[in-house]
Amino acid sequence: MELTIPHRYCGPPESGNGGWVSGIVAAHVPTTGSHPAVTVRLASPPPLDRALTLEAAPTPDGAIGVSLTHRGHLVATATPSTGPEGEPPPTPTQEQVRAAELRYEGLVDHPFPTCFACGTGREHPDALCLRPGPIDDGSGRYAASWVPEETSVPFVWAALDCPGGWSAGIAGRPMVLGTMTARIHALPEAGEPHVVLAWQRGAEGRKHLSGTALISPGGEVLARAEATWIAVDPTSIRPKGPA
């Protein structure tokens, strides 16, 4: 099937937001009781406003995955996964979240101000406009509030994406999403205030690991994600291949 990433869902100005793109691809992967999550690997910057090809791609163990390509260039693959394990860190209070948002590093220096999820150059309701900042308690947790205008799988993946990048240390050094594994237990309620919680899971060389969780107003974990971020040269994030 053919798939197009509208410019609205950009991350860097010339390529798609990693979380939204991962979510739209993940939505086409069948999950099971033993594999309730989806892992998406981004192989190259997702091009905007171009016809992409999404097709089934069976895995070596017989599961059904998908691949996303643009004129022969691999953009992303997605496969069923067992999903993030363990419990997320404690959910911060609303007061802690509001204070954390005031410390959002992107307000001072944002590597990709066009980003659909957290860009400072975007406005409601065209973008999510998340402001994930550090909680001032030494825990390393980051948090942002989110009142969804729209509830869909790609929007949840986008909301889980960028806060993880900020918790992993994207401030001052451009990083892009490499892989993301997410499991959605339930979609959020539109118009209700939710919390996106993020935390660092370690680093190795250019790779930085994060965890994120979407928390309902009642404290329920609606979705979980784990991601690997790759520190990059800004000139390397343009889409490949002909238009």
Side-chain angles (χ1 to χ4, degrees):
M1 64 174 290
E2 187 175 289
L3 185 151
T4 301
I5 304 167
H7 197 276
R8 177 190 179 190
Y9 304 114
C10 69
E14 298 181 17
S15 59
N17 169 266
W20 191 91
V21 173
S22 295
I24 200 72
V25 172
H28 292 85
V29 175
T31 57
T32 64
S34 61
H35 290 74
V38 178
T39 294
V40 178
R41 176 182 175 271
L42 294 171
S44 61
L48 303 169
D49 298 321
R50 302 178 193 175
L52 310 179
T53 300
L54 185 71
E55 56 188 352
T59 66
D61 60 2
I64 301 299
V66 298
S67 66
L68 183 68
T69 58
H70 175 243
R71 294 191 175 183
H73 293 274
L74 182 64
V75 176
T77 57
T79 56
S81 171
T82 55
E85 298 180 355
E87 295 296 322
T91 303
T93 65
Q94 288 295 331
E95 291 76 15
Q96 286 178 308
V97 174
R98 286 192 289 269
E101 290 179 312
L102 296 176
R103 291 187 287 270
Y104 176 41
E105 292 120 321
L107 296 173
V108 177
D109 183 19
H110 199 300
F112 307 121
T114 57
C115 179
F116 169 71
C118 67
T120 50
R122 304 291 296 270
E123 296 181 355
H124 285 295
D126 184 57
L128 302 188
C129 298
L130 301 179
R131 300 291 182 261
I135 299 173
D136 191 20
D137 63 356
S139 67
R141 293 176 298 166
Y142 275 57
S145 58
W146 181 37
V147 180
E149 297 275 347
E150 177 182 327
T151 60
S152 67
V153 169
F155 270 54
V156 171
W157 278 68
L160 292 170
D161 171 27
C162 290
W166 289 99
S167 73
I170 197 172
R173 53 180 170 184
M175 293 193 289
V176 295
L177 186 65
T179 62
M180 184 172 177
T181 298
R183 178 182 181 183
I184 299 176
H185 300 281
L187 292 176
E189 291 288 333
E192 294 294 325
H194 295 71
V195 171
V196 183
L197 177 64
W199 60 97
Q200 189 179 50
R201 297 173 40 245
E204 181 181 348
R206 294 171 54 228
K207 294 183 179 181
H208 301 265
L209 310 179
S210 69
T212 46
L214 176 62
I215 314 296
S216 75
E220 179 186 3
V221 177
L222 301 180
R224 282 279 313 277
E226 293 180 348
T228 299
W229 296 81
I230 311 297
V232 297
D233 180 331
T235 62
S236 69
I237 56 178
R238 294 184 177 183
K240 299 178 181 178

